[in-house]
Amino acid sequence: MLVYLRVFKESFSFALNALRNNKLRTFLSLLGVTVGIFSIIAVLAAVDSLDKNIKENLSGLDKNTIYLSKYSFGPTDVPRWKRDNFPQTEYDDYEFVRRNIPDIEESAYVIFGGSETIRYQAETLTNINITPISHGIYTIDDLKVVQGRFYSELESDTGAPVIVIGSNLAENLFDKANPIGKVVRVYGRKLTVIGILKKYGANFGDSPDDKGFVPANFVRQFRNGGVDGLPGAVVIKPKKDVDIGAFESVLKQKFRNYRGLKADEEDDFFVNKLSGLVSFIDAIIAGLNTVGWVISGFSLLVGGFGIANIMFVSVKERTNLIGIQKSLGAKNRFILLQFLFEATILAVVGGLVGLFLVWIISLIMNGFVEDFKFVLSFANMFLGFGLSTLIGLISGVIPAFSASKLDPVEAIRTGM
């Protein structure tokens, strides 16, 4: 055992001395591995961070929540021309669902895509997401109000001129003034601010912090039933103990009957579940990971070839020294380990530099990007270290083996 430890120590020392004596060559070899490891770990960390942020933002929502709409949230076999001819989901559809579908805990009607201008006195903000939606969304999305209140079911049904706004919107519009009771102008009409939502941070799609919520029936009073080309949807939260498969079947059948679809006619609507959206997001994340591996793998491959090339040059330069070492009794395994250590040290140091650069970038991003947390996990760090070690071993094994098999007499003669 002591003999192997001594061989290990001496081989390690030889490798370090060789790297110190060829600083430029060492730097160029390190650069290749550094770029490769940096590329892979940066991509994986970015994708993991995106996945983590999206999942955290969706964690508060019930995965069984259903969006009944003319649009599909994921891939579909229905041709585009057919989907374009589907009827919009109207408020009357929502009323039917609310009154006729059993086992619903809460439901709401929402109109998507409202980008509006909001004014308070001399302050004007443009391109603000104002979402017309009925009262039920308060329960479905588990919204939290820190000042004032959310509009009631009565205010929702009657289309009262009230608005609930996100924390960022309140700050940008009113600065430090208390927004509750203030009158703002949206759609060219006066609305009274009755509530401020808590600060949520970044969210999948858009954040409640920068949004305003108004009763859907308020908008329907002056905008062609509230649609005007903007898509609507019925949002449904089933009861917790319900069989979601059976619930979905009942919903589809009753809604088909309501729309007068015959048995041989296809659905002219989509039943989108948040669980399906999560699966779709998982598929996208997996695809991004694969693309990242493929692209970054080329960089790592170049780094590995760079180390192998440098090691062959190193063997050629030190042929005379190898012959002398072997003539003095150095075993083949000593020569083999010497070059393997040199290649591995190169790769590991390059990998650690790559990890360090990713860590620095994560600190910078987390310092400047408030609503997105860049996460460099221990698993990714371990993966980077392991990959760099593996690349060093693979890149160095052939040059090291060829060096260990050199004939001492021929090696001394060749090196003279």
Side-chain angles (χ1 to χ4, degrees), residues 192-403:
T192 302
V193 179
I194 61 170
I196 310 298
L197 297 175
K198 78 166 190 177
K199 189 173 184 64
Y200 286 88
N203 207 334
F204 179 65
D206 50 0
S207 171
D209 297 344
D210 301 298
K211 294 173 69 173
F213 295 91
V214 299
N217 275 346
F218 170 75
V219 178
R220 292 179 66 241
Q221 295 170 8
F222 56 86
R223 279 206 171 177
N224 188 27
V227 178
D228 267 356
L230 297 178
V234 180
V235 189
I236 305 163
K237 182 179 181 181
K239 291 180 179 177
K240 289 185 179 179
D241 57 349
V242 74
D243 182 332
I244 193 63
F247 178 87
E248 188 176 341
S249 297
V250 170
L251 172 62
K252 281 187 176 182
Q253 189 55 52
K254 289 200 171 190
F255 200 67
R256 281 178 59 86
N257 293 339
Y258 168 71
R259 286 200 167 175
L261 296 174
K262 297 177 182 178
D264 60 344
E265 291 182 314
E266 295 181 351
D267 294 341
D268 59 359
F269 58 90
F270 289 99
V271 176
N272 301 290
K273 289 187 294 186
L274 274 184
S275 57
L277 178 61
V278 171
S279 300
F280 181 58
I281 291 170
D282 287 340
I284 292 175
I285 295 297
L288 289 174
N289 267 322
T290 302
V291 172
W293 270 100
V294 171
I295 295 174
S296 304
F298 284 109
S299 299
L300 199 57
L301 194 62
V302 170
F305 281 134
I307 289 179
N309 187 49
I310 293 299
M311 293 311 300
F312 276 118
V313 172
S314 184
V315 170
K316 185 71 174 175
E317 285 182 347
R318 287 150 55 190
T319 300
N320 181 262
L321 179 60
I322 293 169
I324 294 173
Q325 288 176 329
K326 296 191 81 171
S327 66
L328 294 175
K331 303 288 186 182
N332 285 353
R333 63 174 178 270
F334 175 81
I335 305 298
L336 180 73
L337 288 173
Q338 178 181 324
F339 285 93
L340 271 182
F341 280 135
E342 186 172 336
T344 304
I345 291 169
L346 270 173
V348 168
V349 173
L352 290 175
V353 173
L355 286 172
F356 177 74
L357 292 176
V358 177
W359 178 69
I360 290 295
I361 289 176
S362 70
L363 290 180
I364 294 172
M365 286 191 65
N366 290 332
F368 285 94
V369 183
E370 183 179 341
D371 293 332
F372 184 87
K373 187 173 182 181
F374 190 90
V375 180
L376 179 59
S377 65
F378 176 79
N380 281 333
M381 293 175 67
F382 182 78
L383 177 64
F385 182 81
L387 274 176
S388 58
T389 304
L390 182 63
I391 289 297
L393 287 172
I394 294 174
S395 302
V397 67
I398 296 178
F401 185 76
S402 64

Side-chain angles (χ1 to χ4, degrees), residues 27-312:
F27 171 76
L28 294 175
S29 301
L30 286 176
L31 189 61
V33 179
T34 296
V35 171
I37 294 297
F38 172 81
S39 300
I40 287 180
I41 303 307
V43 169
L44 293 181
V47 173
D48 285 351
S49 301
L50 179 64
D51 186 35
K52 187 172 185 294
N53 279 272
I54 291 175
K55 294 294 174 60
E56 282 181 355
N57 290 322
L58 292 176
S59 62
L61 301 177
D62 189 335
K63 300 300 185 295
N64 290 328
T65 299
I66 291 172
Y67 284 76
L68 184 66
S69 172
K70 70 170 286 186
Y71 299 101
S72 174
F73 286 2
T76 175
D77 295 330
V78 181
R80 175 68 180 270
W81 66 268
K82 279 190 177 181
R83 285 179 278 146
D84 288 344
N85 290 322
F86 285 176
Q88 285 282 12
T89 309
E90 305 281 0
Y91 190 83
D92 291 341
D93 298 327
Y94 159 66
E95 288 287 359
F96 170 80
V97 169
R98 182 168 69 159
R99 299 180 190 280
N100 294 279
I101 306 299
D103 298 320
I104 290 180
E105 182 178 327
E106 190 58 87
S107 60
Y109 180 70
V110 58
I111 302 171
F112 296 110
S115 214
E116 304 291 338
T117 298
I118 183 168
R119 293 183 177 87
Y120 172 70
Q121 296 180 351
E123 192 67 43
T124 300
L125 301 177
T126 58
N127 295 322
I128 302 299
N129 188 329
I130 304 296
T131 303
I133 195 162
S134 57
H135 169 265
I137 201 64
Y138 185 68
T139 301
I140 294 172
D141 280 0
D142 193 26
L143 297 174
K144 303 295 182 185
V145 175
V146 293
Q147 282 183 265
R149 60 181 178 83
F150 204 81
Y151 43 84
S152 67
E153 187 172 0
L154 178 62
E155 289 171 320
S156 178
D157 291 341
T158 59
V162 293
I163 185 171
V164 176
I165 59 179
S167 59
N168 289 348
L169 182 54
E171 184 178 338
N172 293 334
L173 199 59
F174 299 100
D175 197 14
K176 296 180 180 179
N178 182 9
I180 304 301
K182 300 291 192 299
V183 175
V184 298
R185 278 191 172 270
V186 187
Y187 311 109
R189 287 165 168 77
K190 293 181 179 180
L191 291 165
T192 302
V193 179
I194 61 170
I196 310 298
L197 297 175
K198 78 166 190 177
K199 189 173 184 64
Y200 286 88
N203 207 334
F204 179 65
D206 50 0
S207 171
D209 297 344
D210 301 298
K211 294 173 69 173
F213 295 91
V214 299
N217 275 346
F218 170 75
V219 178
R220 292 179 66 241
Q221 295 170 8
F222 56 86
R223 279 206 171 177
N224 188 27
V227 178
D228 267 356
L230 297 178
V234 180
V235 189
I236 305 163
K237 182 179 181 181
K239 291 180 179 177
K240 289 185 179 179
D241 57 349
V242 74
D243 182 332
I244 193 63
F247 178 87
E248 188 176 341
S249 297
V250 170
L251 172 62
K252 281 187 176 182
Q253 189 55 52
K254 289 200 171 190
F255 200 67
R256 281 178 59 86
N257 293 339
Y258 168 71
R259 286 200 167 175
L261 296 174
K262 297 177 182 178
D264 60 344
E265 291 182 314
E266 295 181 351
D267 294 341
D268 59 359
F269 58 90
F270 289 99
V271 176
N272 301 290
K273 289 187 294 186
L274 274 184
S275 57
L277 178 61
V278 171
S279 300
F280 181 58
I281 291 170
D282 287 340
I284 292 175
I285 295 297
L288 289 174
N289 267 322
T290 302
V291 172
W293 270 100
V294 171
I295 295 174
S296 304
F298 284 109
S299 299
L300 199 57
L301 194 62
V302 170
F305 281 134
I307 289 179
N309 187 49
I310 293 299
M311 293 311 300
F312 276 118

